[in-house]
Amino acid sequence: MKTALFPGSFDPITKAHVDILKRSLSLFDKIYVGVGTNSTKKSLLSVEQRLAMIKAVFADEPKVEIISYEGLTVNFCREIGASHMIRGIRTVSDFEYEKAIAQMNHALIPDIESIFIVSKPGYSSISSTIVRDVLRYGGDVAQFVPSPAIPFLKELG
């Protein structure tokens, strides 16, 4: 069975994340969405809120499992039996950043491959950071996040 991990903070999940994952479904038998915990980042949503939000977004997708993890992502891939890691690329700077991480991961565990999926042009400006800023200042994020995520974000206001 071909298994992949789509790691990220997903704070919050955006339409760009959903697009990348949906376009990856035909490539794998199972995709774990891994909510990584990063103690150096100030999160808007708790890990539990993010897990519940992502589960709501992918409730009808049997090939997707939502899970949280700590530590090196490449080690977590090995733990769950994922042979591939899915990463979304919006910009050239994303590519440079992701390429460096992919090369480091390959040096650590060579049999886990990174797959880069380029975002659709309409999603290239959407990031969780920008969505968090819009939320903090009371803006409407409905055009940037999947509709099942909206109730989780309204709880913050």
Side-chain angles (χ1 to χ4, degrees), residues 6 16-17 19-21 23-24 85-102 114-121 123-126:
F6 183 30
H17 292 129
D19 176 62
I20 295 296
L21 191 130
R23 290 169 47 214
S24 303
M85 208 180 310
I86 301 165
R87 300 301 295 164
I89 304 289
R90 294 170 300 154
T91 63
V92 171
S93 59
D94 279 355
F95 174 74
E96 291 297 329
Y97 176 75
E98 294 295 344
K99 180 181 79 160
I101 291 172
S114 293
I115 305 291
F116 298 146
I117 307 286
V118 177
S119 73
K120 290 182 179 177
Y123 295 133
S124 64
S125 64
I126 301 174

Side-chain angles (χ1 to χ4, degrees), residues 28 77 82-86 102 106 109-115:
F28 300 98
C77 282
S83 57
H84 294 79
M85 208 180 310
I86 301 165
H106 187 71
I109 304 180
D111 57 329
I112 295 175
E113 292 292 341
S114 293
I115 305 291

Side-chain angles (χ1 to χ4, degrees), residues 4-11 13 17 21 31-38 47 50-51 54 58 64-71 73 76-77 80 82 84-87:
L5 173 68
F6 183 30
S9 62
F10 304 103
D11 187 33
I13 192 166
H17 292 129
L21 191 130
I31 297 177
Y32 287 93
V33 176
V35 177
T37 56
N38 185 338
V47 171
R50 287 181 269 162
L51 290 169
I54 300 166
F58 293 105
V64 175
E65 186 171 328
I66 318 306
I67 192 165
S68 65
Y69 71 97
E70 288 185 65
T73 303
F76 185 64
C77 282
I80 61 172
H84 294 79
M85 208 180 310
I86 301 165
R87 300 301 295 164

